[in-house]
Amino acid sequence: MAKQNKASQTNAQEVRRQNQASIQGQSQNTEFASETDAQQVRQQNQQSAQRKNQQQ
């Protein structure tokens, strides 16, 4: 009879729980990131810099 090594056994339920927790964390970060339009921010920053230079 082969001896099983407990360290190599995978607890499937624990893995699913960790994956679910990871997915939830990613969705929160993704949701936050999707609220920011990086191109629009860059454009606004450029316009602001131009106005600042015109005032000087």
Side-chain angles (χ1 to χ4, degrees), residues 1-3 5 11 17 20 23 27 34 38-39 49 51 55:
M1 186 146 86
K3 182 179 177 185
N5 181 354
N11 182 338
R17 186 192 66 75
Q20 187 64 32
I23 289 169
S27 68
S34 68
Q39 181 62 34
R51 284 194 291 270
Q55 291 175 355

Side-chain angles (χ1 to χ4, degrees), residues 2 7 13 16 21-23 26 45-46 51:
Q13 186 158 355
R16 282 192 288 271
S22 176
I23 289 169
Q26 289 173 356
N45 287 345
Q46 186 178 22
R51 284 194 291 270

Side-chain angles (χ1 to χ4, degrees), residues 19-33:
N19 287 345
Q20 187 64 32
S22 176
I23 289 169
Q24 289 174 348
Q26 289 173 356
S27 68
Q28 290 173 354
N29 292 340
T30 302
E31 181 180 337
F32 177 77

